[in-house]
């Protein structure tokens, strides 16, 4: 295959701003949008254009996070770019795609994979969602995992999709396209979202921020892209992991709170 690349991977050469083509990423980004448009056109019911906008926006965020230059930087040059990718997938692309997927489409897709019942069960199980999301977070940010997976195109693609799946799992109890279980309390969802994103993530974030030596050999030995040292880049990655989810999470919690208060006020 020579120098053919279909996905972003760690490159053993100095960084340059020369564009790199990744046809695998284009295919993974464009195909879902085409299939979505075809399914919407063939569906006999009315078209919800707001949902369609959410879906296309989610795929665009996925594309930006995966393709050059951010994908290339995250795959082998900068830990901070790696962390930005993770956040774009989990709190950007994933919730937008879920908001943009109609229930009939989600059920049809999951039925074909025989995953509908599992998804419905998982959407009502806060503890399991929190454990799976944070398990993927910890596993994919372990130094050994990054070192192995980022040096292979298939491994790097696997990591990117694992992060998208982690995002789906995280948001499943909040915005599942399959709907929520009857009796699902708003305060329970608010507590879940806070706990799932703010507790376990503090551990790797603090380790990256306060470690006196670089944790990731891949990024430590990579050619420098900016004036930042490997340790400074790693510290920024830790800060991003710790703080970047705050605006999205707390905005979501605030929206749920006001909707809950409005609903309670209408009932009294």
């Amino acid at each position: 295959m020579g120098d053919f690349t279909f996905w972003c991977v760690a490159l053993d050469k100095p960084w340059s701003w020369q564009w790199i083509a990744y046809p695998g990423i284009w295919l993974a980004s464009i195909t879902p949008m085409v299939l979505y448009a075809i399914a919407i056109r063939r569906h006999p019911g009315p078209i919800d254009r707001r949902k369609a906008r959410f879906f296309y926006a989610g795929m665009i965020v996925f594309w930006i996070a995966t393709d050059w230059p951010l994908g290339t930087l995250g795959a082998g040059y900068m830990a901070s770019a790696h962390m930005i990718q993770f956040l774009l997938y989990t709190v950007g692309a994933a919730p937008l795609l879920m908001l943009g997927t109609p229930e009939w489409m989600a059920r049809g897709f999951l039925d074909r994979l025989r995953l509908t019942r599992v998804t419905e069960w998982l959407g009502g199980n806060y503890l399991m969602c929190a454990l799976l999301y944070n398990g993927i977070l910890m596993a994919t940010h372990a130094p050994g995992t990054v070192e192995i997976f980022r040096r292979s195109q298939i491994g790097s693609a696997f990591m990117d999709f694992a992060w998208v799946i982690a995002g789906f799992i995280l948001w499943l109890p909040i915005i599942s396209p399959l709907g929520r279980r009857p009796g699902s309390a708003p305060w329970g969802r608010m507590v879940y979202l806070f706990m799932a994103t703010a507790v376990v993530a503090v551990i790797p974030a603090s380790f990256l921020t306060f470690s006196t030596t670089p944790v990731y050999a891949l990024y430590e030995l990579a050619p420098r892209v900016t004036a930042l040292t490997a340790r400074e880049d790693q510290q920024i990655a830790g800060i991003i992991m710790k703080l970047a989810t705050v605006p999205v999470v707390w905005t979501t919690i605030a929206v749920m709170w006001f909707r809950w208060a409005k609903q309670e006020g209408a009932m009294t």
Side-chain angles (χ1 to χ4, degrees), residues 87-131:
L87 292 169
L88 286 176
Y89 289 134
T90 54
V91 300
L96 285 170
L97 291 172
M98 295 172 78
L99 286 169
T101 304
E103 183 174 352
W104 59 265
M105 186 183 293
R107 289 191 179 277
F109 178 74
L110 293 170
D111 283 346
R112 290 186 180 89
L113 298 177
R114 300 182 183 277
L115 291 175
T116 303
R117 289 186 179 181
V118 173
T119 305
E120 289 178 331
W121 171 80
L122 196 58
N125 194 318
Y126 298 155
L127 178 60
M128 185 57 67
C129 284
L131 289 174

Side-chain angles (χ1 to χ4, degrees), residues 62 86 89-91 93-95 97-98 109 113 115 122 129 132-134 136-137 140 157-173 192:
F62 171 84
F86 169 75
Y89 289 134
T90 54
V91 300
L97 291 172
M98 295 172 78
F109 178 74
L113 298 177
L115 291 175
L122 196 58
C129 284
L132 288 173
Y133 167 73
N134 283 286
I136 296 173
L137 181 153
T140 55
F158 177 84
M159 181 174 285
D160 291 337
F161 284 110
W163 284 344
V164 176
I165 292 171
F168 288 152
I169 293 171
L170 171 66
W171 293 97
L172 197 56
Y192 155 77

Side-chain angles (χ1 to χ4, degrees), residues 14-67:
W15 170 260
S16 73
W17 287 101
Q18 183 177 358
W19 176 72
I20 303 174
Y22 296 109
I25 293 173
W26 304 342
L27 188 65
S29 302
I30 296 173
T31 302
M33 290 192 279
V34 172
L35 294 177
Y36 183 93
I38 293 172
I40 290 292
R41 281 185 173 275
R42 291 180 175 178
H43 187 66
I47 298 175
D48 189 336
R49 299 191 182 279
R50 184 166 174 265
K51 277 190 173 293
R53 287 194 291 269
F54 278 131
F55 185 88
Y56 293 134
M59 288 309 308
I60 290 171
V61 172
F62 171 84
W63 197 337
I64 292 170
T66 313
D67 207 350

